[in-house]
Amino acid sequence: MGPAALAVALGTEPFIDVVRRVAAQRTNALAVDELTYGELWGQTARVAGKLSARGVVAGDRVAIYSENRRGFVLAYLALQRLGAIAVPTNVLYRAADLGNILSDAKPRLVVGSAQTRPHVPADVPFVDAADVEAWATDASLSTEHDDARVEPNDIAVMIYTSGTTGRAKGALITHGNLAAIAAQLNEAWRWTSADTLLITLPLFHVHGLCAGLNGTLAAGAHALIRERFDVNEVAKLLQSGDVTMFFGVPTMYVRFIEKIPPQKFEHVRLFVSGSAALPADVHRAFEEKFGASILERYGSTEFGFALGNRYEGPRVVGSVGVPMPGVEVTIVVPKTTDRVAPGEVGELLVSGPNVCIGYWDRPEAMADAFADFDGRRWFRSGDSMRFDPVDGVYVVMGRLKELIISGGFNVYPLEVEAEMRLYPGVRDAALVGIHDAARGEIPVAFIEADAGFDSDAFVAAMRDRLASFKLPKAVRIVDALPRNAMGKVEKQRLKASEEKP
Ligand code: AMP
C-alpha cells in the first residue's frame, strides 16, 4: 500500500474487521503457533459465545491477567467480537496495583491463569485461561458467532500506564487505533504474509500485543508465541529457519551478547528494540557478534509507535529515527505549544490515528495529556527529545520527570548514562536526581560494575568527558538495577533508596 492509500485506510476500520477479512482470505495459513487463521477465527467464536453466556456484553471491561498463552489470544479477540473492552494486566501486579485496576475498571470478570488466580480477590468473577482453551476446541460448540457491531472510535483495549508516580491511568485504545498501529508497522517494516515473528514479550503490554500480535494478524503473517524470553531457546528458534522477525527490549539483546556464541541468524531479516533506550554499545556489540543492525523504535502505551529507524537504513545508533507512516510529531517547550528551534531539546508531542483518545474515568487528566493546535490533537509524550538536523533523526533524552535540574542546569540522564557505559567495567548505569538543599538536585550514579571497580578513577575519567554539573556527585555500586517487566530501570526505586531517611 502506498503512503496515500495508507493514510486513508489508517484507523478507519476496526481491527477485528481486518482480522475477519484476513481469516477469510488466509484460512489455511498458520496464524498463531500451529493454529491456522480458519481455526483461530472459529475458536474465537466459541470463546465469544461462552463469554457472552457468562454475561459479558458490549462495553464491559474484562481483565486479561495471564502470562502469554493461547487462552490470552483467544480471549482478547473474542472480546473484540463482543464489543467488550479487554484490559491486559501485568502478571506481576499484586494487591495494590491489581486492586487499583479492579476498582477503576470494574471488570465484569477476570480471565486469569493458575499463576495469577491466587492474587485475584475471591469476590471477583474469574475464568481460567485453561477453560478458555478448552472451550475453543470443544467440538460441541458453534464456530459461528453473531459479532457485535463496533465502530473505529469505540474502545477496544484499555491498558494501564506503568506510570511510576501517582495512580495508574487506563489508556483508552480504540478499534481504529489498533488497526492504525498494525498498518503503520506493517508498512514501516515491510511486514508480509511470508513473515514469522517470534513473540516473547508479554502480551499485556503494547509492544507484545499491538506490535507483535496485531501486526502479525493484520499482515496475515505467522507468530510463534512463547511464555517468556529464554535466550538459549530464542537463539535456537531464530536458527531454525522459520522465524524472520524478532522484537525485544534492550535487556534481551544484552543477554544475547552475554550468552550466545557468535553466529549469523540468516533467516531473520529484522531485529527490533524498544520500550527503553538501546545503548549504543549494545547496538554495536550485537552487530559485531551477529551481523545484524537492530532497528530501534520509540513508542508508548498511549500512542503505540511514533518513531523508528528506517527499515532501509541507515540505522542511526542512539537515535529513534523518523516518524512512522501517518504519524506527526513536533517538539515544544514543555507544558506549552511553543515549538523549540531545530536541534533544541523539548517535549515530544505526537499526533495521528494511533493516538489513544484519553483515560478511563479521568476527564481531568485530558488537559495535561493533550493539546489542540494546528488543527490537530497532540499527545504530550512526557519525553524530552531533540531533532538532530544533521542526520535528520530524533534522539530521546529521557523522561521529562527524570530530567535532573542541578544548580539551574539541565542534566539529561540518558546522555550521561551513555557516557558512563563506555567506561571499562561498567555493565550498566542509571543516573538519578537526588534532592539537595544547595542545588535543588544532584546527579547520583547507580552502577552495575565488574569486580574491582574503582569509583574514584571512574569519576576522574568522567570529569574529562562531561561538564561539571553533569558529573555524578556520588556513585553507588549495585548488583543489579531494579527493572520492571519491560526491562525499564525503575528510577523511582533508586531515588527512594537514596532519599530514605
Ligand atoms: P510504556 O507506556 O510503558 O510503553 O512506556 C513508554 C515510555 O517508554 C516512553 O514514553 C519512553 O519514555 C520510553 N521509551 C519507549 N521506547 C523508547 C526508546 N526507544 N528509547 C528511549 N525510551 C523509550
Side-chain angles (χ1 to χ4, degrees):
M1 195 184 293
L6 183 78
V8 173
L10 281 177
T12 54
E13 187 184 19
F15 176 70
I16 196 67
D17 290 356
V18 177
V19 181
R20 182 182 297 107
R21 195 176 55 243
V22 171
Q25 288 164 351
R26 295 189 47 76
T27 314
N28 297 318
L30 289 176
V32 171
D33 296 319
E34 70 284 2
L35 266 196
T36 64
Y37 274 93
E39 289 163 341
L40 180 68
W41 192 249
Q43 292 192 6
T44 56
R46 289 176 173 146
V47 175
K50 277 293 204 177
L51 289 175
S52 158
R54 298 269 174 133
V56 175
V57 297
D60 276 352
R61 279 78 57 210
V62 173
I64 311 182
Y65 181 41
S66 155
E67 65 283 2
N68 288 1
R69 56 186 290 165
R70 179 78 49 84
F72 188 123
V73 176
L74 293 165
Y76 165 70
L77 293 172
L79 290 170
Q80 288 182 51
R81 296 182 68 167
L82 291 167
I85 302 170
V87 187
T89 301
N90 190 326
V91 293
L92 299 178
Y93 285 175
R94 293 295 177 262
D97 20 33
L98 175 68
N100 175 36
I101 293 182
L102 296 178
S103 62
D104 197 62
K106 301 186 180 57
R108 166 83 56 186
L109 52 87
V110 172
V111 176
S113 67
Q115 287 181 33
T116 61
R117 178 165 211 155
H119 310 295
V120 180
D123 58 344
V124 176
F126 185 89
V127 167
D128 199 303
D131 291 332
V132 171
E133 288 154 11
W135 300 337
T137 52
D138 180 345
S140 72
L141 300 174
S142 169
T143 53
E144 301 288 321
H145 183 262
D146 186 11
D147 292 351
R149 197 183 141 69
V150 291
E151 300 296 334
N153 284 333
D154 292 342
I155 302 158
V157 177
M158 203 158 106
I159 301 187
Y160 279 79
T161 55
S162 53
T164 43
T165 50
R167 208 151 60 88
K169 303 189 285 284
L172 304 177
I173 303 169
T174 65
H175 290 270
N177 290 151
L178 295 181
I181 293 166
Q184 289 166 333
L185 297 187
N186 284 180
E187 170 84 7
W189 298 340
R190 316 286 184 263
W191 209 329
T192 74
S193 58
D195 280 308
T196 295
L197 170 72
L198 175 59
I199 302 178
T200 64
L201 290 161
L203 291 173
F204 58 70
H205 187 266
V206 276
H207 197 169
L209 190 71
C210 299
L213 179 63
N214 294 357
T216 296
L217 299 179
H222 181 209
L224 292 177
I225 302 184
R226 294 293 176 268
E227 185 185 326
R228 61 171 63 84
F229 176 78
D230 170 328
V231 73
N232 293 307
E233 186 198 5
V234 166
K236 251 192 230 133
L237 283 166
L238 297 186
Q239 209 46 275
S240 70
D242 293 334
V243 178
T244 61
M245 303 166 82
F246 178 76
F247 298 170
V249 295
T251 45
M252 294 181 179
Y253 292 107
V254 171
R255 286 300 154 265
F256 260 95
I257 296 162
E258 285 171 356
K259 305 274 184 220
I260 304 298
Q263 56 196 287
K264 287 260 183 314
F265 299 108
E266 308 256 350
H267 305 275
V268 185
R269 66 174 182 85
L270 182 62
F271 288 92
V272 175
S273 175
S275 291
L278 179 70
D281 55 309
V282 175
H283 184 284
R284 292 202 185 97
F286 190 86
E287 186 162 16
E288 226 161 76
K289 206 164 177 188
F290 306 109
S293 170
I294 299 168
L295 186 154
E296 181 171 8
R297 58 66 181 168
Y298 158 86
S300 90
T301 304
E302 286 94 338
F303 53 77
F305 307 92
L307 299 162
N309 270 271
R310 289 190 180 87
Y311 182 74
E312 274 82 18
R315 299 188 183 155
V316 184
V317 179
S319 95
V320 288
V322 297
M324 291 286 175
V327 175
E328 292 251 350
V329 298
T330 191
I331 299 179
V332 300
V333 175
K335 298 196 193 313
T336 75
T337 55
D338 304 329
R339 289 189 168 86
V340 300
E344 296 286 308
V345 179
E347 181 181 14
L348 186 87
L349 308 193
V350 182
S351 181
N354 47 305
V355 177
C356 76
I357 56 169
Y359 297 103
W360 181 256
D361 208 12
R362 296 292 169 85
E364 78 290 351
M366 293 297 284
D368 284 343
F370 294 89
D372 291 303
F373 63 95
D374 281 359
R376 301 178 147 263
R377 168 154 291 190
W378 300 89
F379 176 74
R380 294 189 184 275
S381 70
D383 289 312
S384 312
M385 282 245 185
R386 185 169 72 78
F387 178 69
D388 177 344
V390 178
D391 287 325
V393 292
Y394 289 83
V395 179
V396 187
M397 308 295 288
R399 298 289 299 157
L400 272 173
K401 273 192 227 140
E402 290 169 4
L403 170 73
I404 304 165
I405 304 180
S406 191
F409 291 108
N410 285 0
V411 182
Y412 296 99
L414 279 184
E415 183 195 2
V416 179
E417 287 160 9
E419 202 52 55
M420 296 196 294
R421 291 180 56 97
L422 297 176
Y423 187 80
V426 173
R427 288 200 306 275
D428 209 344
L431 194 75
V432 172
I434 303 298
H435 177 72
D436 177 77
R439 282 177 250 177
E441 280 181 309
I442 47 166
V444 170
F446 291 80
I447 311 270
E448 275 180 32
D450 292 342
F453 184 78
D454 180 344
S455 301
D456 295 337
F458 165 72
V459 174
M462 289 299 110
R463 188 163 289 124
D464 287 340
R465 305 192 54 84
L466 292 167
S468 59
F469 62 89
K470 298 181 189 173
L471 279 181
K473 300 298 176 293
V475 175
R476 310 277 179 242
I477 307 297
V478 293
D479 290 338
L481 294 169
R483 292 179 186 278
N484 71 9
M486 297 306 291
K488 275 193 248 246
V489 175
E490 296 176 305
K491 292 198 169 169
Q492 290 301 322
R493 283 177 59 186
L494 293 174
K495 217 173 154 86
S497 72
E498 194 67 14
E499 289 183 339
K500 71 174 181 272

